[in-house]
Amino acid sequence: MRFSKMLIPTIKEAPSDAMLPSHIYLLRAGFIQSVGSGLYNFLPLGKKSLDRVRQVVKDELDRAGCLEVDLAFVTPAELWRESGRFEKYGKELLRFKDRKDNEFVLGPTHEEMMVNLVRQSVKSYKQLPLHLYQIKTKFRDEIRPRFGLMRGREFLMEDGYSFHKDEADMKREFANMEVTYSKIFERLGLDFRVVEADSGAIGGSGSKEFMVLADSGEDTIVVCDNCEYGANIEAAVRKPKEAPQYNKDEELEMSEGEFHTPNVKTIQELSEFFHINPHHLIKAVAKKALYDESKEKIAIFFIRGNDELEETKACNSVGANELIDISEDELEKAGLVAGFIGFENLPEAVIYRIDSELKGETNLIMGANRKDYHCIGVSIPSKEELFADLVAVQEGDICTKCGGKLHYTKGIEVGHIFQLGTRYSKPLGATFLDENGKSQPFVMGTYGIGVSRLLAAIIEQHHDDKGCIWTKESSPFDIEIIVSNISKDAEREAGEELYNTLSSKGFNVLLDDRKERFGFKMKDFELIGIPLAIVIGKKLADKKVELIKRESLEREDIDLDNIVSKIEEIF
Ligand code: ATP
Ligand code: MG
């Protein structure tokens, strides 16, 4: 393709709201164009990269035995009512009506649609297992669309759904997809890590995320410095914290009862007031838990004074759709006193959970549910259903697998695999006849890759202060030929000839044949980030051209006669 015939509107400055390198460079290099919050046009270069990434995804999935389909984007709300998600999905789901007043949603994910497809066409265990996938636009009315392609409202996703006769076969496919997704991200040249992820109400290790390691990532991941353990902070676990060491004579011993603690509200104030390590204090974190049909409850989470609440864990522990902040006024109305909340004598309507690490503990201090009073000598009740893992693992905590130290790193979630079970097949009545002629719900797995987000993730990991550095299988072109001075016949002709030869050998070549200064063309090459450039310039007189690697910007003189074989060698 010729640069002079392309539409590559490179710009000097990105809009001021673009903060991340990927956002800035994809806009500046003319890959994408913003049309509204979280909405982008893909220009020719962007479309080429997107198609190449999509091809890698498709290639590996097809090889792994998955079948590509293409489902309607506009989906009947009725299916979403059947699964119970029409309400639950919240404001991210775009709902609308057609001229006959029928309700629809724009698909943010396609579990319902896929189950509906399969329940109509698969009847017997003999047709299983089955893995269907599509690579298709999704729409989510994200609360904070940002960082360009990283968190759009309209984005391209690969979403796969597998159907099995039992758990064991679903787990086999889950493992198969872990390998397959890993191959995809390796081919795209990404440095990534597979981590344990939040599985919502299902729990356990039923879900894994693929995290591209980058400082700009929105997810905090916890990794062990000694073993392979890695988990999203939403799902990370640690060895229970040990109590601080004391000398014999200062050992904790308290009588039980209420203690006047005027105006002592925060953990720090309480710790100073009693001269006690926050490890022995109970922190109460109050939230509003939101449920279906606009129901809400006040939920209180009790954790150690030196811990922080992990909201996703907390939300799962009370089976809510979402947790939101609560004001002191609302607490007061419910009969609670901010700063003095404890789990004894709580109002009826309030639900609460206690962090599992507090199980069996005694001699603690917590709020007395009365202004200016705390209870001392508190023991944790032994009701099993009150306990849940509620805390965020902190840096320096101990790994449960190997005893090593845990630390934080940042990641961009590019893929997610999930053992779904019968969560959708049951409510939607999707069943098959097993070997004994008995009707069973399909056991499912679900899998997703953020295909357009991958473009951003690749650039987050591969860029310098001049622009993009595409990896081999994500670059819009394999090679760029830069003709230094297009008005010189010899240079132009040599460029054309090389362009034709390389193209006929199957390389995807961009020929910069514009009537522009060489420096200007070089700047565009650096900004756009095609991995290799061949410069045809003054050295042509000595039958030489220059080969430039975009990553290192190293330059090497090559004999014109050898350049094609050199390129073949590199690929
Ligand atoms: P996130 O936590 O980032 O919102 P998610 O858990 O909502 O992601 P999934 O529902 O698992 O994401 O979707 C599968 C994949 O789609 C994600 O791993 C991610 O790569 C991609 N994705 C999700 N939301 C967006 C978005 N708003 N823009 C671009 N890609 C997205
Ligand atoms: Mg999301």
Side-chain angles (χ1 to χ4, degrees):
M1 208 151 277
R2 287 155 200 282
F3 210 130
S4 59
K5 304 271 186 301
M6 281 283 285
L7 177 66
I8 309 179
T10 56
I11 45 177
K12 277 225 169 70
E13 302 264 342
S16 57
D17 68 327
M19 322 259 273
L20 296 192
S22 62
H23 191 188
I24 293 169
Y25 290 142
L26 288 171
L27 285 169
R28 280 193 49 210
F31 281 74
I32 57 171
Q33 189 179 59
S34 169
V35 272
S37 171
L39 304 174
Y40 291 90
N41 290 331
F42 282 81
L43 303 181
L45 280 183
K47 175 73 170 120
K48 275 178 183 294
S49 276
L50 190 67
D51 281 352
R52 291 203 68 195
V53 170
R54 176 194 193 120
Q55 188 55 41
V56 172
V57 175
K58 176 172 168 51
D59 200 35
E60 291 299 333
L61 289 175
D62 289 351
R63 214 193 294 267
C66 312
L67 303 174
E68 188 173 8
V69 290
D70 198 351
L71 272 55
F73 176 41
V74 172
T75 69
E78 202 167 298
L79 285 174
W80 285 73
R81 290 224 160 81
E82 269 188 74
S83 73
R85 275 211 292 190
F86 189 72
E87 296 297 334
K88 200 174 243 146
Y89 212 91
K91 290 195 172 151
E92 271 186 35
L93 187 66
L94 190 64
R95 304 155 168 94
F96 59 98
K97 287 182 180 166
D98 69 5
R99 64 170 83 203
K100 291 179 182 154
D101 254 6
N102 297 313
E103 284 184 295
F104 291 91
V105 309
L106 278 192
T109 170
H110 267 74
E111 280 81 3
E112 286 83 354
M113 285 288 281
M114 215 49 104
V115 171
N116 180 51
L117 181 158
V118 167
R119 74 179 168 184
Q120 293 180 54
S121 37
V122 178
K123 303 288 172 201
S124 158
Y125 73 94
K126 289 179 195 152
Q127 294 165 279
L128 300 176
L130 185 66
H131 185 141
L132 302 175
Y133 78 92
Q134 58 176 349
I135 300 174
K136 199 170 175 88
T137 300
K138 296 281 177 287
F139 189 89
R140 295 183 185 177
D141 201 354
E142 296 271 356
I143 182 166
R144 262 186 299 279
R146 55 187 172 164
F147 307 145
L149 297 182
M150 201 78 92
R151 185 168 298 282
R153 292 197 295 165
E154 190 179 305
F155 59 98
L156 188 66
M157 179 165 143
E158 180 274 319
D159 50 326
Y161 309 83
S162 67
F163 297 82
H164 308 270
K165 66 179 169 50
D166 55 27
E167 281 273 314
D169 195 57
M170 181 267 284
K171 289 199 161 138
R172 175 203 52 74
E173 183 66 359
F174 183 79
N176 181 27
M177 280 305 115
E178 182 172 342
V179 173
T180 305
Y181 274 25
S182 296
K183 275 190 200 150
I184 290 168
F185 302 130
E186 269 158 34
R187 274 181 64 178
L188 291 172
L190 287 164
D191 181 15
F192 67 98
R193 206 155 164 159
V194 189
V195 303
E196 309 266 334
D198 166 46
S199 307
I202 296 170
S205 59
S207 154
K208 289 187 180 178
E209 284 165 346
F210 295 77
M211 292 287 183
V212 167
L213 304 178
D215 292 339
S216 57
E218 289 185 275
D219 284 274
T220 298
I221 50 187
V222 174
V223 293
C224 178
D225 58 10
N226 185 50
C227 76
E228 278 299 287
Y229 180 74
N232 191 308
I233 188 135
E234 297 171 352
V237 291
R238 68 179 183 201
K239 244 178 123 171
K241 260 193 187 163
E242 281 181 20
Q245 296 287 314
Y246 295 100
N247 297 326
K248 198 87 193 120
D249 55 334
E250 43 169 46
E251 214 149 80
L252 279 185
E253 201 54 65
M254 304 177 205
S255 52
E256 280 177 40
E258 288 192 357
F259 209 92
H260 190 50
T261 50
N263 242 340
V264 177
K265 288 184 176 175
T266 65
I267 289 294
Q268 198 189 338
E269 286 162 357
L270 202 59
S271 166
E272 283 164 12
F273 184 91
F274 283 107
H275 301 288
I276 279 181
N277 189 302
H279 187 83
H280 306 286
L281 307 177
I282 301 181
K283 189 195 275 182
V285 186
K287 295 276 169 187
K288 204 155 32 174
L290 307 184
Y291 294 88
D292 288 356
E293 292 153 4
S294 316
K295 280 190 203 133
E296 47 180 68
K297 287 183 193 166
I298 295 179
I300 317 274
F301 302 98
F302 295 98
I303 58 179
R304 284 193 196 280
N306 54 358
D307 270 325
E308 295 300 329
L309 187 73
E310 209 314 302
E311 283 211 17
T312 303
K313 290 180 179 178
C315 186
N316 290 339
S317 76
V318 292
N321 298 334
E322 198 184 342
L323 294 182
I324 57 171
D325 289 341
I326 187 165
S327 67
E328 287 201 10
D329 275 357
E330 287 172 291
L331 285 176
E332 203 176 314
K333 271 192 202 123
L336 294 161
V337 202
F340 301 94
I341 300 176
F343 50 66
E344 274 159 25
N345 307 318
L346 273 177
E348 268 297 293
V350 172
I351 48 171
Y352 70 99
R353 293 288 179 272
I354 301 172
D355 181 51
S356 305
E357 284 185 34
L358 283 167
K359 230 180 249 180
E361 290 282 308
T362 54
N363 274 329
L364 304 164
I365 297 177
M366 78 172 173
N369 287 323
R370 175 147 88 102
K371 188 165 165 37
D372 291 343
Y373 281 89
H374 277 86
C375 295
I376 61 169
V378 174
S379 297
I380 297 292
S382 56
K383 265 200 205 153
E384 202 50 48
E385 67 271 22
L386 290 177
F387 293 104
D389 175 14
L390 298 175
V391 298
V393 168
Q394 292 161 339
E395 292 205 81
D397 285 349
I398 305 298
C399 175
T400 55
K401 298 236 153 111
C402 74
K405 278 223 164 82
L406 298 171
H407 60 92
Y408 287 175
T409 161
K410 288 284 181 189
I412 302 168
E413 180 193 328
V414 290
H416 193 175
I417 57 177
F418 202 101
Q419 301 183 17
L420 201 52
T422 56
R423 163 71 185 84
Y424 292 91
S425 52
K426 263 195 188 151
L428 287 158
T431 59
F432 65 97
L433 294 177
D434 69 10
E435 287 96 327
N436 305 315
K438 217 180 131 210
S439 176
Q440 303 277 8
F442 294 102
V443 180
M444 292 177 61
T446 152
Y447 319 90
I449 293 179
V451 179
S452 49
R453 180 181 284 183
L454 271 170
L455 261 55
I458 290 167
I459 296 307
E460 282 308 309
Q461 251 182 15
H462 302 272
H463 68 268
D464 58 16
D465 58 0
K466 298 187 163 64
C468 306
I469 305 174
W470 291 98
T471 59
K472 216 173 185 174
E473 293 209 59
S474 62
S475 178
F477 291 96
D478 299 322
I479 308 156
E480 176 169 339
I481 299 173
I482 304 172
V483 177
S484 177
N485 186 347
I486 201 76
S487 49
K488 290 201 170 142
D489 289 346
E491 286 185 23
R492 195 187 64 243
E493 280 159 22
E496 292 281 344
E497 199 185 325
L498 191 55
Y499 173 68
N500 288 332
T501 313
L502 288 171
S503 301
S504 70
K505 286 186 179 285
F507 291 106
N508 217 331
V509 190
L510 178 66
L511 174 68
D512 195 344
D513 57 347
R514 291 174 300 168
K515 274 198 190 109
E516 297 285 356
R517 282 178 300 106
F518 174 68
F520 184 82
K521 294 184 192 179
M522 263 311 282
K523 278 227 155 53
D524 274 352
F525 162 68
E526 288 165 350
L527 178 60
I528 292 166
I530 294 163
L532 276 180
I534 301 167
V535 178
I536 299 182
K538 287 200 187 85
K539 288 171 185 157
L540 191 64
D542 308 324
K543 297 208 81 185
K544 282 191 191 303
V545 294
E546 208 173 30
L547 186 68
I548 307 179
K549 292 197 174 116
R550 172 61 188 89
E551 185 162 17
S552 56
L553 291 174
E554 263 171 77
R555 293 156 177 252
E556 191 185 346
D557 288 341
I558 311 272
D559 288 337
L560 182 61
D561 296 339
N562 293 337
I563 185 69
V564 175
S565 56
K566 177 81 186 176
I567 295 286
E568 283 176 323
E569 201 179 289
I570 292 174
F571 280 85

